[in-house]
Amino acid sequence: MSFGTNLQFLRDRAGMTQEGLAEALQVSRQSVSKWESDTSFPEMEKLLVLCELFHTDLDTLLRGDVRANYQTDTVGYDRFMNWFSNWIAMATGLIILSVGGALALYGAVGMPENWMAAVLISGIAVAVAILVVAGIRYDRFEKEHPVLQDFYTKEQRDRFLNRYPFLIALPIVLFFLAVVWLILLGERAEQLGERAEAILVGVFLTAVALGVAVLVWAALRKGKYDIAQWNKQHDPSPEAVAQRKKVGKVCGAIMLAATVVYMILGFGSMALEGDYGGSWGWAWGWIVYPIAGVICALASHLLGEEDE
């Protein structure tokens, strides 16, 4: 492919008009038109700007076929993001499932307090280990590949986006159904004793864990198709790096605080009402996590505006 053909392909893929590209390069629209028709070539300074703008190298832009870069995942990004989304979703659900499993086992077999704590801590420990490993691998991958070529086709994006509403709606329906059955069976379980209550809450938390895992998985899978956002998030400029570190620290503190609140609500409800009858803290305390997520998103937005 010629330089002009490559340039036109990149401009069209980016959704830019000749006027828009001309404005970005501070040249006339006629100059861009001549470049795309191969009747003239830009200066080296403009060529370097084009390479940075469209995330390509000079040799490919001038003499190669830029379309090949958009047809192949050369760095294994899709495979890695699929792995990452699977394990992060699993670890997130496992944290809540550990609580539900401990309560369900207590109700089913009368598990002693120390064994119940062991099940809870073991599940959380495994989840934390998964998150640490996934986080380290993600950090390494993003450092090795801060800028990516967009190789996804419109058909691939549309295929997932057609399923995405169902992936969001089904867990929400599951949450509501779980709450309804918790309310309907709560009085009956209370009459049967604390072990029946523990089983009911354990099953409820299992449903919540499944729903949360699906929501996290769907959000991560949707995010992987936004290559432009990946490149924006990994802007190597010092200002962008400092901004990401600030947002990371703030969101990390928010989620840590949410976990502390959740544990206080869970163990606090048990201490206040005695034995395991006070399990309402585990059943309803998970609400702090979506609230924390909203606060994190708001904080990220505000910090972004502050730095602009």
Side-chain angles (χ1 to χ4, degrees):
M1 295 178 68
S2 67
F3 164 73
T5 305
N6 281 333
L7 179 59
Q8 184 175 359
F9 173 83
L10 292 170
R11 178 178 60 77
D12 289 339
R13 188 176 182 85
M16 298 180 67
T17 63
Q18 287 187 342
E19 290 82 358
L21 180 57
E23 183 178 350
L25 297 175
Q26 297 182 339
V27 298
S28 65
R29 187 199 64 79
Q30 289 77 10
S31 296
V32 174
S33 179
K34 290 180 180 179
W35 297 345
E36 293 185 352
S37 62
D38 289 318
T39 57
S40 67
F41 291 89
E43 301 173 352
M44 180 58 68
E45 178 185 357
K46 302 299 183 185
L47 286 171
L48 295 177
V49 173
L50 286 170
C51 290
E52 182 177 358
L53 180 63
F54 295 120
H55 307 296
T56 187
D57 60 88
L58 187 61
D59 186 63
T60 301
L61 179 62
L62 293 176
R63 299 183 298 178
D65 184 354
V66 296
R67 292 178 300 184
N69 293 329
Y70 293 92
Q71 298 171 351
T72 305
D73 181 8
T74 58
V75 300
Y77 168 81
D78 185 76
R79 182 175 64 254
F80 172 79
M81 291 303 294
N82 287 343
W83 174 88
F84 181 75
S85 60
N86 290 342
W87 284 101
I88 292 297
M90 182 187 302
T92 305
L94 182 59
I95 293 175
I96 304 175
L97 184 62
S98 300
V99 181
L103 289 171
L105 287 174
Y106 163 73
V109 299
M111 179 180 290
E113 180 179 351
N114 58 339
W115 281 92
M116 184 177 173
V119 171
L120 173 62
I121 294 173
S122 298
I124 293 177
V126 172
V128 170
I130 293 173
L131 292 173
V132 169
V133 172
I136 292 174
R137 287 196 60 185
Y138 183 89
D139 184 65
R140 177 183 175 185
F141 186 89
E142 67 178 355
K143 287 180 178 178
E144 292 178 350
H145 310 289
V147 177
L148 298 171
Q149 300 287 352
D150 190 352
F151 59 89
Y152 289 114
T153 64
K154 184 177 183 299
E155 290 74 18
Q156 288 175 313
R157 285 189 172 89
D158 288 345
R159 186 162 54 246
F160 177 81
L161 291 177
N162 288 335
R163 292 186 296 158
Y164 182 70
F166 297 97
L167 294 172
I168 298 299
L170 290 177
I172 294 176
V173 172
L174 179 62
F175 291 154
F176 279 105
L177 290 176
V179 170
V180 168
W181 283 102
L182 181 66
I183 295 173
L184 291 176
L185 298 177
E187 184 176 351
R188 176 60 176 167
E190 186 176 354
Q191 294 173 354
L192 294 175
E194 64 182 33
R195 289 176 59 177
E197 285 187 283
I199 292 176
L200 178 61
V201 174
V203 173
F204 171 78
L205 288 176
T206 299
V208 171
L210 177 61
V212 169
V214 172
L215 287 174
V216 171
W217 183 87
L220 290 174
R221 285 297 178 97
K222 182 176 183 293
K224 81 170 183 176
Y225 290 101
D226 194 349
I227 302 297
Q229 183 64 24
W230 171 279
N231 293 333
K232 180 180 179 181
Q233 289 177 347
H234 298 86
D235 185 346
S237 66
E239 296 81 5
V241 172
Q243 163 70 7
R244 289 196 295 271
K245 288 183 178 179
K246 185 189 299 184
V247 171
K249 290 179 180 178
V250 171
C251 288
I254 291 172
M255 298 310 294
L256 178 61
T259 300
V260 172
V261 171
Y262 181 58
M263 300 299 286
I264 291 175
L265 289 173
F267 287 113
S269 66
M270 292 168 59
L272 288 173
E273 299 187 25
D275 294 331
Y276 303 99
S279 54
W280 58 265
W282 299 119
W284 301 104
W286 62 272
I287 296 174
V288 300
Y289 285 105
I291 294 175
V294 172
I295 295 174
C296 178
L298 179 61
S300 301
H301 177 72
L302 294 176
L303 289 172
E305 286 188 342
E306 178 182 305
D307 291 344
E308 287 179 357

